[in-house]
Amino acid sequence: YAALMNGQLCYCMSRYRTGPSSGCTIPCITEPNLFCGSHDSMSVYKTGQKAPSPPRQLQVTKTGSRSLSISWQPPNIQNGNVTSYMVRSKVVETYAGRSLLPTQAQIQGGSSGSTTLTNLQPGSKYNISVTALNSDAESDPISILEWTSIDVPVRPAKPKILRQSGDKMILELYETFSPNGPITAYQVLVIYPGTVPPIDSSTAFSNYETAMNKSIPYYITGEFDAADFSKYQEFVVGDGNKINGFYNAPLAEPFENPQFAVVAVSRTRNEAKYSYSDISGPSGLLFDNFRVIILGCGVAFGSILLIILVIAYVLMKRRHAQQIRFEAIINQRHEMRTRGPIQEVDNRAYIPEDVPEVTNHYQALKEKVWYMPEDALTLETDQFRNARYGAIHRGTVRNKNGIIVDAFIHCIPDYSQRASEKKNMLRELDICIKAGTMKYLASFIGNYEGPDTTFIAFEGPSDNLKAKLLAARSAKSFPYDQILTIASMIAEGLNYLEVKRIFHSHLCARSIGLNNDYIPKIMGYGISKYVLPDIKLARWTSPERFGSAKNQPAVVWAFAVLVWEMMAMGGTPYHDLEDETDVEEAVVENHVRLPQLKDMPDPLYEVLMSCWNDDTHERPSFEELTRL
């Protein structure tokens, strides 16, 4: 409501708390049966303003040829809670020869204050606006104008040599264009025969004098404005004049019989981009033919050599495979495999009755594992990740119920592991088998044993929580109102692992799989941790874990950081600290904790702070955290 005092003073408030005055004599405009003050009293009117005020301090923080990064501050007046921001971009000026559609993206979360606009047109001026939205309405926009960086022009056609007259050469040049910025100038490049100059789009070549002094085998002999192209379309190389500060030197030794190229230049105040034509010249054809001949000979020689190497490789592989199979039989290669028990006997070749039977770990594993038939397994060709024990591929598995499920498939060669590696692999596999199947786990499915490779399959969610949160910043859908529900499901899955006495050491948003139904799938325990990207986990590490102590309260600490990540829509914990050492010093020595986000309720932040208690015994259990 707005309260007006004699039309001069304005007070804004969420509710008018005083009662009616007996001195009110002026009827309300929209409700004549009510009085809204008098000439000597305060008049109160309902403004009808439900939307927030516009965001503040919109600025461009980083400029690219196809992207613009922006940031802003939240509105001063929110009229409730700001739930999201709408970012719109519209082209004002462009060099593209087509109309460019405006774009818009909804950034979820009232605490969001930055985003990056992508897939923009280089060398174009954009009007970027940001509005704030609450549950009732959208604010007025705040706007800013910004250019994207220019990019490389379209490559010009190579110049045509018309004729030669003494120490001069007449070229015909061809105009080009650029949708990525202005064509501001053209340069003519003189090149010593057989030389291939660098053609980086940011490289500017030197003039004749510099080339002579530094023995550079190419130089710019002239530059002219694009507006004067018709004047220089027939360009005379070597007339001795200066063209825009470049000396057009007569063609003399060592450039008496040169090659030529044209450079299209796109310049703005802060940057320049260059695009180079193919080389032409009297000796260019000879050089090109010679290069083609050399290249052809090299290809022919390489093909013959490749055929010889392939034949040799096949023969050696067969011999090696036979040798390995023989050794495997001698050494009982079933050591690594889970199929087929091993009987242990003493030197007298029988098992004495008074000696207790030795536990067969591999047989125990076998009884727990589902052995998939070969036709139940399908692998994608491209490798997803190269892990400790072998390659990991995405694929599908037809499970015991005949249902096709997405999977990560770990392909482990039987003979590439040392004995210690085999033990570690089986130990980590046993953790996943021990965990069993649970709704909120990316569970172990089963394995298939090929002739030389063991295939281990786990549930493979289509995406991970971190990627989904970051995508929501660029207008991808995400159920923001279900964040605490998802967190509660994760806590339930972690509680299940805790009951199984399984310690999760890689907990973060990237280790939570998500499918389209937004049911979380916890990944990263046991051997399944190798599907995760290699990231440094200091930002999710409790103080005692920096000392290498493994305990369940450390997972509670990491879970609270994960919840903070979710509320920050994928924000990086301790984003103002650069490396692991800084994070460790802040958390352990200075007792720094992650801040409360603007749209984070006080009760939730109190729960997170209890998870970050230095005293591990004071942290809540996952059974308690499931009630989030």
Side-chain angles (χ1 to χ4, degrees):
Y1 297 90
L4 305 177
M5 176 70 78
N6 292 333
Q8 295 178 352
L9 299 178
C10 177
Y11 303 89
C12 295
M13 61 197 78
S14 60
R15 183 177 300 166
Y16 184 63
R17 297 184 181 276
T18 59
S21 170
S22 59
C24 293
T25 59
I26 301 176
C28 295
I29 296 174
T30 57
E31 299 182 31
N33 59 328
L34 299 177
F35 291 97
C36 294
S38 68
H39 296 292
D40 299 321
S41 64
M42 179 181 291
S43 297
V44 178
Y45 301 93
K46 184 176 181 180
T47 66
Q49 181 69 29
K50 298 180 179 180
S53 61
R56 301 172 293 117
Q57 300 179 23
L58 175 62
Q59 60 180 338
V60 176
T61 57
K62 186 177 180 181
T63 302
S65 61
R66 299 187 179 274
S67 64
L68 292 172
S69 297
I70 62 173
S71 66
W72 63 87
Q73 294 296 318
N76 284 325
I77 303 172
Q78 298 192 4
N79 281 331
N81 290 326
V82 172
T83 57
S84 61
Y85 293 92
M86 189 69 74
V87 180
R88 297 178 173 89
S89 64
K90 182 179 180 181
V91 175
V92 179
E93 296 180 39
T94 184
Y95 293 91
R98 56 187 174 85
S99 59
L100 301 174
L101 297 176
T103 65
Q104 71 175 31
Q106 188 168 4
I107 313 302
Q108 299 290 340
S111 62
S112 301
S114 63
T115 191
T116 299
L117 304 175
T118 57
N119 298 322
L120 304 181
Q121 179 67 28
S124 298
K125 187 178 184 180
Y126 281 85
N127 182 324
I128 302 168
S129 64
V130 180
T131 59
L133 292 88
N134 59 19
S135 57
D136 293 318
E138 181 176 1
S139 75
D140 291 331
I142 181 174
S143 303
I144 191 173
L145 295 173
E146 185 61 66
W147 286 86
T148 51
S149 302
I150 61 174
D151 212 337
V152 183
V154 173
R155 189 178 188 180
K158 70 178 181 180
K160 180 181 179 181
I161 299 173
L162 299 178
R163 58 189 178 275
Q164 184 170 6
S165 176
D167 55 2
K168 300 180 182 65
M169 193 84 72
I170 293 87
L171 308 178
E172 183 177 1
L173 309 183
Y174 300 96
E175 202 167 8
T176 188
F177 70 98
S178 175
N180 302 325
I183 298 289
T184 54
Y186 289 89
Q187 297 174 340
V188 178
L189 183 64
V190 177
I191 307 166
Y192 183 78
T195 301
V196 180
I199 54 172
D200 181 80
S201 62
S202 300
T203 299
F205 293 126
S206 57
N207 56 23
Y208 174 79
E209 292 83 356
T210 303
M212 292 297 100
N213 291 335
K214 296 185 177 181
S215 299
I216 301 174
Y218 41 80
Y219 64 90
I220 297 296
T221 195
E223 177 183 298
F224 56 88
D225 292 340
D228 297 329
F229 184 85
S230 58
K231 177 181 175 181
Y232 290 97
Q233 189 165 8
E234 282 197 7
F235 190 89
V236 180
V237 178
D239 64 4
N241 297 321
K242 277 203 169 186
I243 306 176
N244 200 13
F246 290 89
Y247 177 46
N248 190 8
L251 298 177
E253 189 177 354
F255 290 99
E256 71 275 13
N257 195 26
Q259 298 172 278
F260 304 96
V262 174
V263 184
V265 184
S266 180
R267 285 197 187 101
T268 61
R269 289 182 304 170
N270 303 321
E271 57 183 336
K273 294 291 183 181
Y274 303 90
S275 181
Y276 308 91
S277 75
D278 289 334
I279 296 171
S280 63
S283 57
L285 182 60
L286 176 62
F287 175 72
D288 288 344
N289 288 342
F290 178 71
R291 183 168 54 185
V292 169
I293 292 171
I294 293 297
L295 183 60
C297 292
V299 170
F301 177 76
S303 300
I304 294 171
L305 182 60
L306 179 61
I307 292 171
I308 294 173
L309 290 175
V310 168
I311 293 173
Y313 171 76
V314 171
L315 294 175
M316 292 178 65
K317 184 178 180 182
R318 288 181 179 176
R319 182 178 178 183
H320 183 63
Q322 292 172 352
Q323 181 179 354
I324 286 180
R325 287 192 181 96
F326 178 75
E327 292 176 356
I329 293 171
I330 298 300
N331 295 318
Q332 295 186 352
R333 71 183 179 95
H334 287 289
E335 175 190 352
M336 173 187 170
R337 304 168 65 80
T338 57
R339 191 186 298 275
I342 299 174
Q343 287 189 335
E344 299 187 13
V345 298
D346 64 9
N347 291 333
R348 290 171 292 175
Y350 67 93
I351 302 176
E353 294 181 358
D354 57 341
V355 177
E357 184 178 354
V358 177
T359 301
N360 190 324
H361 178 67
Y362 306 101
Q363 178 66 23
L365 275 182
K366 176 183 174 181
E367 294 171 356
K368 303 176 186 177
V369 174
W370 175 55
Y371 288 93
M372 302 177 292
E374 183 178 3
D375 60 358
L377 199 65
T378 303
L379 274 71
E380 292 183 1
T381 305
D382 294 336
Q383 179 176 303
F384 177 75
R385 180 160 288 110
N386 188 28
R388 176 178 179 181
Y389 303 117
I392 297 177
H393 291 253
R394 278 196 174 273
T396 59
V397 173
R398 187 179 68 253
N399 65 17
K400 297 178 182 178
N401 302 320
I403 300 172
I404 303 296
V405 296
D406 293 329
F408 288 116
I409 301 166
H410 206 146
C411 308
I412 304 177
D414 285 354
Y415 306 110
S416 64
Q417 308 294 331
R418 299 189 304 272
S420 58
E421 285 287 279
K422 294 175 184 178
K423 286 184 179 180
N424 289 332
M425 186 276 293
L426 287 168
R427 187 179 297 114
E428 292 180 335
L429 174 60
D430 193 31
I431 292 173
C432 296
I433 297 171
K434 178 182 176 182
T437 303
M438 194 261 183
K439 183 177 182 180
Y440 304 129
L441 299 184
S443 303
F444 170 71
I445 299 174
N447 78 317
Y448 165 70
E449 295 181 355
D452 301 308
T453 305
T454 298
F455 300 88
I456 299 175
F458 302 86
E459 290 182 46
S462 58
D463 218 329
N464 66 66
L465 178 58
K466 181 76 169 183
K468 287 281 192 182
L469 291 169
L470 293 177
R473 297 186 175 194
S474 302
K476 304 289 185 178
S477 63
F478 189 89
Y480 187 78
D481 56 342
Q482 296 182 32
I483 281 182
L484 292 184
T485 302
I486 295 172
S488 177
M489 295 176 186
I490 296 171
E492 188 172 339
L494 293 170
N495 184 54
Y496 175 87
L497 291 178
E498 181 177 0
V499 171
K500 295 280 186 176
R501 302 182 64 82
I502 295 173
F503 177 82
H504 197 304
S505 60
H506 290 68
L507 187 62
C508 61
R510 287 185 177 88
S511 68
I512 306 298
L514 277 184
N515 289 320
N516 293 332
D517 56 4
Y518 290 98
I519 299 297
K521 293 285 187 177
I522 300 173
M523 307 182 292
Y525 58 93
I527 198 172
S528 69
K529 66 188 176 187
Y530 297 110
V531 305
L532 303 180
D534 295 329
I535 58 172
K536 296 179 179 179
L537 294 166
R539 300 175 190 276
W540 293 265
T541 302
S542 64
E544 70 274 10
R545 279 286 285 148
F546 283 109
S548 300
K550 270 191 178 183
N551 55 55
Q552 205 61 35
V555 186
V556 171
W557 177 292
F559 170 76
V561 179
L562 167 60
V563 174
W564 187 95
E565 267 189 287
M566 297 170 68
M567 296 298 293
M569 299 306 292
T572 301
Y574 311 103
H575 62 87
D576 52 333
L577 302 177
E578 292 187 6
D579 55 36
E580 289 183 297
T581 305
D582 294 335
V583 174
E584 180 177 359
E585 181 180 352
V587 171
V588 178
E589 298 180 14
N590 301 327
H591 303 282
V592 173
R593 300 295 182 262
L594 290 168
Q596 182 175 3
L597 301 170
K598 292 183 179 178
D599 52 354
M600 181 182 288
D602 290 339
L604 174 60
Y605 189 65
E606 290 174 5
V607 172
L608 300 188
M609 287 299 291
S610 69
C611 296
W612 297 328
N613 198 313
D614 281 327
D615 186 348
T616 58
H617 298 93
E618 294 297 323
R619 297 175 196 167
S621 67
F622 279 117
E623 186 175 0
E624 296 171 306
L625 291 172
T626 56
R627 296 190 286 270
L628 273 179

